[in-house]
Amino acid sequence: MGDKIRYPVGRGWWPLADEAVERLGQMNVRVRAVYEKYGTLRLDVEPEPNKATDILLEIEEHSAHVCERCGRPGNEVENSQGWVKTLCRECAAEWRQNPLSIRP
């Protein structure tokens, strides 16, 4: 049994990233990068056919409602430095106190 891929985003988004990688792989689309941008999960792929764009947008939209840290329902939050994340209430409180608490 192989190890799961570790993504450079909070663990709460790993299932979304796994889903995207699997779905895109079925279309022979390679995921080049997985990252967070403006509080949502983003993926860079190649090549990028139209069907891949639909999946990427769907995953991005879904991630806007899932806590990046724990995977529970979440919302967009901002810290005092202006950084935006999608987090549940409990994780947002911790993140505001310790920004590194979101690390994978």
Side-chain angles (χ1 to χ4, degrees):
M1 184 179 243
D3 291 330
K4 281 287 211 182
I5 296 172
R6 289 183 50 112
Y7 302 104
V9 295
R11 292 176 190 261
W13 283 351
W14 288 6
L16 292 174
D18 283 339
E19 175 188 343
V21 167
E22 181 179 329
R23 289 173 64 190
L24 292 165
Q26 292 171 356
M27 299 168 47
N28 294 320
V29 174
R30 185 173 75 89
V31 176
R32 296 178 346 135
V34 176
Y35 57 98
E36 178 272 335
K37 185 173 182 179
Y38 304 120
T40 59
L41 179 63
R42 307 289 179 96
L43 293 94
D44 287 340
V45 300
E46 68 177 18
E48 192 169 329
N50 289 337
K51 288 182 184 178
T53 301
D54 293 342
I55 292 170
L56 297 173
L57 291 172
E58 178 185 327
I59 294 293
E60 180 182 336
E61 174 61 28
H62 189 174
S63 72
H65 305 285
V66 174
C67 178
E68 180 183 354
R69 184 168 182 255
C70 72
R72 291 184 294 211
N75 296 300
E76 183 180 292
V77 296
E78 188 174 330
N79 71 5
S80 60
Q81 290 82 33
W83 291 98
V84 176
K85 291 279 189 188
T86 298
L87 301 168
C88 67
R89 180 175 292 168
E90 293 82 11
C91 291
E94 185 172 339
W95 176 63
R96 286 183 177 118
Q97 295 298 314
N98 177 13
L100 297 180
S101 68
I102 304 301
R103 295 246 160 163

